[in-house]
Amino acid sequence: MNPLYEQMPVSVFERMSLAAAKFGAVNLGQGFPDFGWPDEILEAAARALKDSSNQYPPSRGLPALREAVAAHYNRHFGQELAAEHVCVTSGATEALSAAILATVQPADEVIILTPAYDSYAPTIRRAGGVPVEVALKPPEWRIDYDALSTAVTSNTRAIIVNNPHNPTGRKFGKDELAVIAAVAEISDLIVISDEVWEHVLLDGRSFTSLATLPGMEERTIKVGSAGKIFSLTGWKVGWMVAAPGLANVLARAHQFLTFSTVPNLQAAVAFGLSKGDEWIEPMRERFQRARDRMSKGLREGGYAVLDSASTYFLCVDLAASGIGVDDESFAMAAAERAGVAVVPLSAFAEQNAPRHLVRLCFGKKDETIDAGVAAMIKAKGLFG
Ligand code: PMP
Ligand code: GLN
C-alpha cells in the first residue's frame, strides 16, 4: 500500500470524536455546532429531494448554485464574479484536494502556516509536493514578512492560507494579508485561500477576501464551505472560486475526485445563499455569546484562555494554567477520566508544534458548554 496512507494516523477530529463516544465525554473536540442552522434550508433540501432530479448534476455544480455563490461574494466583498469562476465540490476538504492536485507537480514546494488544517500537508505530499512549514507564534499568531519570504525558494509553487484561522480563532489583519500578497507577487505564486470561516466573525469584525487585494484575483484559489456558512457540517457542499482560466483546470481535478456533488443539497444551499443575509448577524451574536460563556467558565475555573476573534474555536494554554503535561496527554486524560474531548494543537504541525495548547469548540448550547466547562475543571484537578 502507499506508505503515505499506511503510516498516516486517523485524523485528530475523528480520533477525539471516537474517544468522546467511547468514554461518554462531552465532545468539544471535532468542530461542529449543535445549533445555528436556518430551518428553511432543511425544508428546501427536503423539497429538492422529493421534487427535483436525483441523478448526476453537472460536474462543476448546479448553475443555480454557481450563480448564487458568485452573487453572494459580489454582494459581500464587492467582487465581480460569475458562474464561470465557481466549481462546486463535496465540501471544502475536496476543494482543497482538487486545488492542491491541480496546482502542485512533483518536487514543488508549498508553504503552509502552522498550526495548519490537517489535510494540507498529506495532500501536498500525495501530489508529489513538499510541504514547507512556517510556524506562527502564540499567542499573537501573526504572519511575518521575513519568516514568510525566507521560506520561499525557486521550487515554491504555492502558499496555503487559512483565514479566519482554525485552530487558533485568529482573523489575520489587512497588513498580514498584504504580506501574503506581496510575497506571492514577487515570487509568482498561487495562493490557495481557505476562507471557510469567512462568516463566523465575532465582536463586530469584518472580513477581507484575499482575492480582493490588488493583483490577487488572478493568482488566488478561494475555498468556501456551505457546511460552515449554514452550520451544517455534515452536508459537505463546498466550492472553489478562481479566475476562469484557473477554474477550468480546477474543474478537471474535481471531475476525477468526486465528479459531482449531491444535487438536492446544492439546490438547498443555492436557496440559502439567495434568500438574503438577515440570519448572519444573529448567528454571529449567538456564537459570540457561546464563546463568552465558555471563556468565562474556563477562566473562573483557573484556565488561561487565548483570544478568539472568529470561528467557533478557542484555545487554552495548559502551561499558563498550571498544567505540566503536554497537550496530547491532557486530551487523552480529559476524555477518559474527566469526560470532555478537546483537540491537541500539536496535531496541526510536524515541526516546532506547540505542545501546551488545546482547542475547544464553543459552538454549543449552554447546557453543553456548562457540562464541558465542569469537565475541564475536573480535568485540571487531575494535574493540580
Ligand atoms: N478548512 C478548514 C480550515 C476547516 O476548518 C474545515 C472544517 N472544519 C475544512 C477546511 C473542511 O470543510 P468541509 O467540512 O466543508 O470539508
Ligand atoms: N474542520 C473540523 C474541525 O476543525 C473537522 C473536520 C473533520 O472532522 N474532518 O474540527
Side-chain angles (χ1 to χ4, degrees):
M1 300 301 281
N2 185 333
L4 176 76
Y5 293 113
E6 220 169 33
Q7 285 153 28
M8 184 185 285
V10 172
S11 108
V12 69
F13 309 117
E14 178 83 352
R15 188 156 64 82
M16 294 321 298
S17 279
L18 292 173
K22 180 170 173 194
F23 300 113
V26 182
N27 191 354
L28 305 180
Q30 190 177 32
F32 60 90
D34 64 6
F35 64 86
W37 48 90
D39 281 338
E40 308 104 285
I41 291 207
L42 303 186
E43 284 150 22
R47 276 198 307 277
L49 194 69
K50 292 274 284 178
D51 303 339
S52 348
S53 168
N54 284 279
Q55 309 305 333
Y56 298 125
S59 176
R60 288 179 75 152
L62 291 185
L65 178 54
R66 295 171 66 203
E67 281 157 23
V69 169
H72 183 81
Y73 292 135
N74 294 346
R75 194 160 75 240
H76 282 275
F77 306 133
Q79 291 178 273
E80 290 180 7
L81 302 170
E84 61 178 347
H85 292 81
V86 181
C87 177
V88 177
T89 58
S90 297
T93 307
E94 197 230 329
L96 287 161
S97 293
I100 291 167
L101 291 172
T103 309
V104 177
Q105 297 185 64
D108 283 350
E109 292 174 11
V110 180
I111 297 176
I112 59 176
L113 306 171
T114 62
Y117 191 62
D118 65 341
S119 79
Y120 302 164
T123 310
I124 294 164
R125 289 204 176 96
R126 185 66 194 87
V130 181
V132 175
E133 295 190 1
V134 172
L136 306 177
K137 302 265 174 344
E140 288 88 12
W141 310 108
R142 276 189 65 79
I143 297 174
D144 171 69
Y145 182 83
D146 291 337
L148 191 60
S149 57
T150 310
V152 176
T153 72
S154 56
N155 291 328
T156 307
R157 179 76 191 105
I159 307 176
I160 305 185
V161 185
N162 170 214
N163 188 38
H165 189 248
N166 176 12
T168 66
R170 178 93 211 286
K171 188 179 78 76
F172 299 115
K174 284 198 179 150
D175 54 332
E176 294 163 283
L177 299 185
V179 161
I180 294 161
V183 172
E185 279 228 275
I186 292 167
S187 303
D188 194 19
L189 308 177
I190 292 281
V191 180
I192 299 173
S193 193
D194 177 348
E195 302 182 355
V196 299
W197 297 102
E198 59 198 333
H199 282 309
V200 189
L201 305 169
L202 311 176
D203 310 311
R205 287 182 171 83
S206 60
F207 175 73
T208 303
S209 190
L210 195 70
T212 63
L213 268 69
M216 290 307 286
E217 200 185 322
E218 298 302 315
R219 61 175 75 254
T220 301
I221 302 169
K222 178 214 175 88
V223 170
S225 171
K228 299 295 187 291
I229 294 179
F230 295 112
S231 298
L232 293 164
T233 61
W235 275 25
K236 287 293 184 181
V237 176
W239 45 80
M240 300 177 278
V241 180
L246 294 186
N248 287 339
V249 185
L250 295 169
R252 296 291 103 78
H254 156 72
Q255 78 176 345
F256 291 137
L257 285 170
T258 56
F259 186 77
S260 62
T261 297
V262 190
N264 331 77
L265 297 184
Q266 288 194 54
V269 171
F271 164 86
L273 290 176
S274 310
K275 81 184 178 67
D277 300 324
E278 304 78 41
W279 55 275
I280 292 183
E281 262 323 303
M283 182 255 312
R284 290 177 179 161
E285 280 163 21
R286 183 68 187 81
F287 281 125
Q288 192 174 314
R289 281 208 304 284
R291 179 206 55 190
D292 293 345
R293 188 179 187 95
M294 184 180 280
S295 306
K296 182 166 178 282
L298 290 170
R299 288 196 172 113
E300 285 172 2
Y303 277 103
V305 180
L306 273 59
D307 289 341
S308 168
S310 49
T311 75
Y312 30 70
F313 304 121
L314 59 76
C315 291
V316 159
D317 185 330
L318 298 175
S321 309
I323 295 171
V325 296
D326 70 20
D327 58 347
E328 184 64 38
S329 313
F330 176 86
M332 289 325 294
E336 201 173 327
R337 293 164 56 205
V340 59
V342 300
V343 167
L345 252 71
S346 55
F348 298 88
E350 290 171 9
Q351 298 142 23
N352 307 315
R355 301 201 178 276
H356 62 293
L357 298 165
V358 292
R359 187 197 82 175
L360 281 69
C361 174
F362 58 72
K364 305 289 182 190
K365 294 181 182 132
D366 287 355
E367 55 267 34
T368 317
I369 292 181
D370 294 349
V373 168
M376 281 293 286
I377 292 169
K378 186 169 171 199
K380 192 164 189 295
L382 297 174
F383 301 102

mmCIF file with all atom_site columns, all heavy atoms in Angstrom, residues 91-93 96 117 120 162 166 194 196-197 225 228 236, ligand 1:
data_model
loop_
_atom_site.group_PDB
_atom_site.id
_atom_site.type_symbol
_atom_site.label_atom_id
_atom_site.label_alt_id
_atom_site.label_comp_id
_atom_site.label_asym_id
_atom_site.label_entity_id
_atom_site.label_seq_id
_atom_site.pdbx_PDB_ins_code
_atom_site.Cartn_x
_atom_site.Cartn_y
_atom_site.Cartn_z
_atom_site.occupancy
_atom_site.B_iso_or_equiv
_atom_site.pdbx_formal_charge
_atom_site.auth_seq_id
_atom_site.auth_comp_id
_atom_site.auth_asym_id
_atom_site.auth_atom_id
_atom_site.pdbx_PDB_model_num
ATOM   1   N N   . GLY A 1 91  ? -17.708 19.494 -0.264 1.00 0.00 ? 91  GLY A N   1
ATOM   2   C CA  . GLY A 1 91  ? -17.066 20.056 0.928  1.00 0.00 ? 91  GLY A CA  1
ATOM   3   C C   . GLY A 1 91  ? -15.778 20.785 0.576  1.00 0.00 ? 91  GLY A C   1
ATOM   4   O O   . GLY A 1 91  ? -15.214 20.637 -0.527 1.00 0.00 ? 91  GLY A O   1
ATOM   5   N N   . ALA A 1 92  ? -15.310 21.589 1.547  1.00 0.00 ? 92  ALA A N   1
ATOM   6   C CA  . ALA A 1 92  ? -14.043 22.298 1.362  1.00 0.00 ? 92  ALA A CA  1
ATOM   7   C C   . ALA A 1 92  ? -12.877 21.320 1.335  1.00 0.00 ? 92  ALA A C   1
ATOM   8   O O   . ALA A 1 92  ? -11.853 21.593 0.712  1.00 0.00 ? 92  ALA A O   1
ATOM   9   C CB  . ALA A 1 92  ? -13.855 23.317 2.480  1.00 0.00 ? 92  ALA A CB  1
ATOM   10  N N   . THR A 1 93  ? -13.036 20.179 2.002  1.00 0.00 ? 93  THR A N   1
ATOM   11  C CA  . THR A 1 93  ? -11.945 19.199 2.009  1.00 0.00 ? 93  THR A CA  1
ATOM   12  C C   . THR A 1 93  ? -11.650 18.749 0.581  1.00 0.00 ? 93  THR A C   1
ATOM   13  O O   . THR A 1 93  ? -10.496 18.666 0.159  1.00 0.00 ? 93  THR A O   1
ATOM   14  C CB  . THR A 1 93  ? -12.319 17.993 2.887  1.00 0.00 ? 93  THR A CB  1
ATOM   15  O OG1 . THR A 1 93  ? -12.716 18.486 4.168  1.00 0.00 ? 93  THR A OG1 1
ATOM   16  C CG2 . THR A 1 93  ? -11.154 17.039 3.064  1.00 0.00 ? 93  THR A CG2 1
ATOM   17  N N   . LEU A 1 96  ? -10.015 21.625 -1.345 1.00 0.00 ? 96  LEU A N   1
ATOM   18  C CA  . LEU A 1 96  ? -8.582  21.756 -1.047 1.00 0.00 ? 96  LEU A CA  1
ATOM   19  C C   . LEU A 1 96  ? -7.780  20.707 -1.809 1.00 0.00 ? 96  LEU A C   1
ATOM   20  O O   . LEU A 1 96  ? -6.728  21.003 -2.381 1.00 0.00 ? 96  LEU A O   1
ATOM   21  C CB  . LEU A 1 96  ? -8.349  21.594 0.462  1.00 0.00 ? 96  LEU A CB  1
ATOM   22  C CG  . LEU A 1 96  ? -8.802  22.792 1.301  1.00 0.00 ? 96  LEU A CG  1
ATOM   23  C CD1 . LEU A 1 96  ? -8.979  22.397 2.767  1.00 0.00 ? 96  LEU A CD1 1
ATOM   24  C CD2 . LEU A 1 96  ? -7.780  23.927 1.174  1.00 0.00 ? 96  LEU A CD2 1
ATOM   25  N N   . TYR A 1 117 ? -4.503  23.407 9.105  1.00 0.00 ? 117 TYR A N   1
ATOM   26  C CA  . TYR A 1 117 ? -5.559  22.402 8.983  1.00 0.00 ? 117 TYR A CA  1
ATOM   27  C C   . TYR A 1 117 ? -4.944  21.077 8.520  1.00 0.00 ? 117 TYR A C   1
ATOM   28  O O   . TYR A 1 117 ? -4.047  21.067 7.676  1.00 0.00 ? 117 TYR A O   1
ATOM   29  C CB  . TYR A 1 117 ? -6.628  22.902 8.001  1.00 0.00 ? 117 TYR A CB  1
ATOM   30  C CG  . TYR A 1 117 ? -7.855  22.051 8.029  1.00 0.00 ? 117 TYR A CG  1
ATOM   31  C CD1 . TYR A 1 117 ? -8.605  21.936 9.198  1.00 0.00 ? 117 TYR A CD1 1
ATOM   32  C CD2 . TYR A 1 117 ? -8.255  21.335 6.912  1.00 0.00 ? 117 TYR A CD2 1
ATOM   33  C CE1 . TYR A 1 117 ? -9.727  21.131 9.241  1.00 0.00 ? 117 TYR A CE1 1
ATOM   34  C CE2 . TYR A 1 117 ? -9.382  20.541 6.948  1.00 0.00 ? 117 TYR A CE2 1
ATOM   35  C CZ  . TYR A 1 117 ? -10.106 20.435 8.120  1.00 0.00 ? 117 TYR A CZ  1
ATOM   36  O OH  . TYR A 1 117 ? -11.210 19.632 8.157  1.00 0.00 ? 117 TYR A OH  1
ATOM   37  N N   . TYR A 1 120 ? -3.856  19.652 4.753  1.00 0.00 ? 120 TYR A N   1
ATOM   38  C CA  . TYR A 1 120 ? -2.963  20.316 3.783  1.00 0.00 ? 120 TYR A CA  1
ATOM   39  C C   . TYR A 1 120 ? -1.691  19.492 3.496  1.00 0.00 ? 120 TYR A C   1
ATOM   40  O O   . TYR A 1 120 ? -1.399  19.190 2.338  1.00 0.00 ? 120 TYR A O   1
ATOM   41  C CB  . TYR A 1 120 ? -2.523  21.705 4.270  1.00 0.00 ? 120 TYR A CB  1
ATOM   42  C CG  . TYR A 1 120 ? -3.598  22.731 4.570  1.00 0.00 ? 120 TYR A CG  1
ATOM   43  C CD1 . TYR A 1 120 ? -3.280  23.868 5.317  1.00 0.00 ? 120 TYR A CD1 1
ATOM   44  C CD2 . TYR A 1 120 ? -4.902  22.588 4.117  1.00 0.00 ? 120 TYR A CD2 1
ATOM   45  C CE1 . TYR A 1 120 ? -4.232  24.831 5.599  1.00 0.00 ? 120 TYR A CE1 1
ATOM   46  C CE2 . TYR A 1 120 ? -5.861  23.550 4.403  1.00 0.00 ? 120 TYR A CE2 1
ATOM   47  C CZ  . TYR A 1 120 ? -5.521  24.671 5.154  1.00 0.00 ? 120 TYR A CZ  1
ATOM   48  O OH  . TYR A 1 120 ? -6.452  25.621 5.443  1.00 0.00 ? 120 TYR A OH  1
ATOM   49  N N   . ASN A 1 162 ? -5.106  30.086 5.600  1.00 0.00 ? 162 ASN A N   1
ATOM   50  C CA  . ASN A 1 162 ? -6.431  29.829 6.147  1.00 0.00 ? 162 ASN A CA  1
ATOM   51  C C   . ASN A 1 162 ? -6.819  31.038 7.003  1.00 0.00 ? 162 ASN A C   1
ATOM   52  O O   . ASN A 1 162 ? -6.215  31.309 8.012  1.00 0.00 ? 162 ASN A O   1
ATOM   53  C CB  . ASN A 1 162 ? -6.381  28.537 6.991  1.00 0.00 ? 162 ASN A CB  1
ATOM   54  C CG  . ASN A 1 162 ? -7.640  28.295 7.806  1.00 0.00 ? 162 ASN A CG  1
ATOM   55  O OD1 . ASN A 1 162 ? -7.577  27.767 8.911  1.00 0.00 ? 162 ASN A OD1 1
ATOM   56  N ND2 . ASN A 1 162 ? -8.782  28.681 7.284  1.00 0.00 ? 162 ASN A ND2 1
ATOM   57  N N   . ASN A 1 166 ? -8.380  28.332 11.681 1.00 0.00 ? 166 ASN A N   1
ATOM   58  C CA  . ASN A 1 166 ? -8.608  27.169 12.524 1.00 0.00 ? 166 ASN A CA  1
ATOM   59  C C   . ASN A 1 166 ? -7.241  26.519 12.716 1.00 0.00 ? 166 ASN A C   1
ATOM   60  O O   . ASN A 1 166 ? -6.555  26.283 11.720 1.00 0.00 ? 166 ASN A O   1
ATOM   61  C CB  . ASN A 1 166 ? -9.565  26.211 11.777 1.00 0.00 ? 166 ASN A CB  1
ATOM   62  C CG  . ASN A 1 166 ? -9.806  24.910 12.499 1.00 0.00 ? 166 ASN A CG  1
ATOM   63  O OD1 . ASN A 1 166 ? -9.457  24.761 13.657 1.00 0.00 ? 166 ASN A OD1 1
ATOM   64  N ND2 . ASN A 1 166 ? -10.422 23.952 11.802 1.00 0.00 ? 166 ASN A ND2 1
ATOM   65  N N   . ASP A 1 194 ? -8.053  29.348 2.055  1.00 0.00 ? 194 ASP A N   1
ATOM   66  C CA  . ASP A 1 194 ? -9.115  28.568 2.699  1.00 0.00 ? 194 ASP A CA  1
ATOM   67  C C   . ASP A 1 194 ? -9.892  29.532 3.601  1.00 0.00 ? 194 ASP A C   1
ATOM   68  O O   . ASP A 1 194 ? -9.450  29.876 4.692  1.00 0.00 ? 194 ASP A O   1
ATOM   69  C CB  . ASP A 1 194 ? -8.446  27.430 3.481  1.00 0.00 ? 194 ASP A CB  1
ATOM   70  C CG  . ASP A 1 194 ? -9.430  26.576 4.254  1.00 0.00 ? 194 ASP A CG  1
ATOM   71  O OD1 . ASP A 1 194 ? -10.607 26.975 4.388  1.00 0.00 ? 194 ASP A OD1 1
ATOM   72  O OD2 . ASP A 1 194 ? -9.017  25.513 4.742  1.00 0.00 ? 194 ASP A OD2 1
ATOM   73  N N   . VAL A 1 196 ? -13.136 29.168 4.685  1.00 0.00 ? 196 VAL A N   1
ATOM   74  C CA  . VAL A 1 196 ? -14.406 28.538 5.086  1.00 0.00 ? 196 VAL A CA  1
ATOM   75  C C   . VAL A 1 196 ? -15.073 29.240 6.275  1.00 0.00 ? 196 VAL A C   1
ATOM   76  O O   . VAL A 1 196 ? -16.273 29.184 6.435  1.00 0.00 ? 196 VAL A O   1
ATOM   77  C CB  . VAL A 1 196 ? -14.258 27.026 5.394  1.00 0.00 ? 196 VAL A CB  1
ATOM   78  C CG1 . VAL A 1 196 ? -13.779 26.262 4.178  1.00 0.00 ? 196 VAL A CG1 1
ATOM   79  C CG2 . VAL A 1 196 ? -13.352 26.775 6.582  1.00 0.00 ? 196 VAL A CG2 1
ATOM   80  N N   . TRP A 1 197 ? -14.274 29.928 7.090  1.00 0.00 ? 197 TRP A N   1
ATOM   81  C CA  . TRP A 1 197 ? -14.835 30.579 8.285  1.00 0.00 ? 197 TRP A CA  1
ATOM   82  C C   . TRP A 1 197 ? -15.207 32.035 8.039  1.00 0.00 ? 197 TRP A C   1
ATOM   83  O O   . TRP A 1 197 ? -15.405 32.802 8.983  1.00 0.00 ? 197 TRP A O   1
ATOM   84  C CB  . TRP A 1 197 ? -13.825 30.474 9.444  1.00 0.00 ? 197 TRP A CB  1
ATOM   85  C CG  . TRP A 1 197 ? -13.565 29.061 9.831  1.00 0.00 ? 197 TRP A CG  1
ATOM   86  C CD1 . TRP A 1 197 ? -12.480 28.290 9.499  1.00 0.00 ? 197 TRP A CD1 1
ATOM   87  C CD2 . TRP A 1 197 ? -14.421 28.208 10.590 1.00 0.00 ? 197 TRP A CD2 1
ATOM   88  N NE1 . TRP A 1 197 ? -12.621 27.025 10.008 1.00 0.00 ? 197 TRP A NE1 1
ATOM   89  C CE2 . TRP A 1 197 ? -13.793 26.945 10.686 1.00 0.00 ? 197 TRP A CE2 1
ATOM   90  C CE3 . TRP A 1 197 ? -15.672 28.395 11.208 1.00 0.00 ? 197 TRP A CE3 1
ATOM   91  C CZ2 . TRP A 1 197 ? -14.369 25.876 11.357 1.00 0.00 ? 197 TRP A CZ2 1
ATOM   92  C CZ3 . TRP A 1 197 ? -16.242 27.317 11.886 1.00 0.00 ? 197 TRP A CZ3 1
ATOM   93  C CH2 . TRP A 1 197 ? -15.590 26.081 11.957 1.00 0.00 ? 197 TRP A CH2 1
ATOM   94  N N   . SER A 1 225 ? -17.162 26.923 2.103  1.00 0.00 ? 225 SER A N   1
ATOM   95  C CA  . SER A 1 225 ? -17.933 25.755 2.562  1.00 0.00 ? 225 SER A CA  1
ATOM   96  C C   . SER A 1 225 ? -19.304 26.158 3.074  1.00 0.00 ? 225 SER A C   1
ATOM   97  O O   . SER A 1 225 ? -19.411 26.939 4.018  1.00 0.00 ? 225 SER A O   1
ATOM   98  C CB  . SER A 1 225 ? -17.171 25.043 3.683  1.00 0.00 ? 225 SER A CB  1
ATOM   99  O OG  . SER A 1 225 ? -17.975 24.060 4.281  1.00 0.00 ? 225 SER A OG  1
ATOM   100 N N   . LYS A 1 228 ? -19.952 25.384 6.799  1.00 0.00 ? 228 LYS A N   1
ATOM   101 C CA  . LYS A 1 228 ? -19.609 26.380 7.819  1.00 0.00 ? 228 LYS A CA  1
ATOM   102 C C   . LYS A 1 228 ? -20.585 27.546 7.778  1.00 0.00 ? 228 LYS A C   1
ATOM   103 O O   . LYS A 1 228 ? -21.039 28.034 8.815  1.00 0.00 ? 228 LYS A O   1
ATOM   104 C CB  . LYS A 1 228 ? -18.184 26.904 7.590  1.00 0.00 ? 228 LYS A CB  1
ATOM   105 C CG  . LYS A 1 228 ? -17.125 25.828 7.670  1.00 0.00 ? 228 LYS A CG  1
ATOM   106 C CD  . LYS A 1 228 ? -17.070 25.264 9.068  1.00 0.00 ? 228 LYS A CD  1
ATOM   107 C CE  . LYS A 1 228 ? -15.920 24.294 9.263  1.00 0.00 ? 228 LYS A CE  1
ATOM   108 N NZ  . LYS A 1 228 ? -16.020 23.025 8.567  1.00 0.00 ? 228 LYS A NZ  1
ATOM   109 N N   . LYS A 1 236 ? -21.398 18.760 3.516  1.00 0.00 ? 236 LYS A N   1
ATOM   110 C CA  . LYS A 1 236 ? -20.285 18.611 2.585  1.00 0.00 ? 236 LYS A CA  1
ATOM   111 C C   . LYS A 1 236 ? -20.586 19.191 1.204  1.00 0.00 ? 236 LYS A C   1
ATOM   112 O O   . LYS A 1 236 ? -20.509 18.501 0.181  1.00 0.00 ? 236 LYS A O   1
ATOM   113 C CB  . LYS A 1 236 ? -19.893 17.130 2.475  1.00 0.00 ? 236 LYS A CB  1
ATOM   114 C CG  . LYS A 1 236 ? -19.159 16.620 3.724  1.00 0.00 ? 236 LYS A CG  1
ATOM   115 C CD  . LYS A 1 236 ? -17.818 17.277 3.843  1.00 0.00 ? 236 LYS A CD  1
ATOM   116 C CE  . LYS A 1 236 ? -16.994 16.757 4.980  1.00 0.00 ? 236 LYS A CE  1
ATOM   117 N NZ  . LYS A 1 236 ? -15.701 17.438 5.081  1.00 0.00 ? 236 LYS A NZ  1
HETATM 118 N N1  . PMP B 2 .   ? -10.664 24.029 6.111  1.00 0.00 ? 1   PMP B N1  1
HETATM 119 C C1  . PMP B 2 .   ? -10.778 24.421 7.379  1.00 0.00 ? 1   PMP B C1  1
HETATM 120 C C2  . PMP B 2 .   ? -9.866  25.473 7.904  1.00 0.00 ? 1   PMP B C2  1
HETATM 121 C C3  . PMP B 2 .   ? -11.747 23.859 8.203  1.00 0.00 ? 1   PMP B C3  1
HETATM 122 O O1  . PMP B 2 .   ? -11.840 24.262 9.468  1.00 0.00 ? 1   PMP B O1  1
HETATM 123 C C4  . PMP B 2 .   ? -12.597 22.863 7.681  1.00 0.00 ? 1   PMP B C4  1
HETATM 124 C C5  . PMP B 2 .   ? -13.641 22.177 8.525  1.00 0.00 ? 1   PMP B C5  1
HETATM 125 N N2  . PMP B 2 .   ? -13.594 22.457 9.856  1.00 0.00 ? 1   PMP B N2  1
HETATM 126 C C6  . PMP B 2 .   ? -12.440 22.481 6.356  1.00 0.00 ? 1   PMP B C6  1
HETATM 127 C C7  . PMP B 2 .   ? -11.466 23.082 5.593  1.00 0.00 ? 1   PMP B C7  1
HETATM 128 C C8  . PMP B 2 .   ? -13.299 21.408 5.738  1.00 0.00 ? 1   PMP B C8  1
HETATM 129 O O2  . PMP B 2 .   ? -14.572 21.841 5.441  1.00 0.00 ? 1   PMP B O2  1
HETATM 130 P P1  . PMP B 2 .   ? -15.683 20.861 4.870  1.00 0.00 ? 1   PMP B P1  1
HETATM 131 O O3  . PMP B 2 .   ? -16.347 20.240 6.040  1.00 0.00 ? 1   PMP B O3  1
HETATM 132 O O4  . PMP B 2 .   ? -16.584 21.705 4.050  1.00 0.00 ? 1   PMP B O4  1
HETATM 133 O O5  . PMP B 2 .   ? -14.982 19.813 4.043  1.00 0.00 ? 1   PMP B O5  1
#
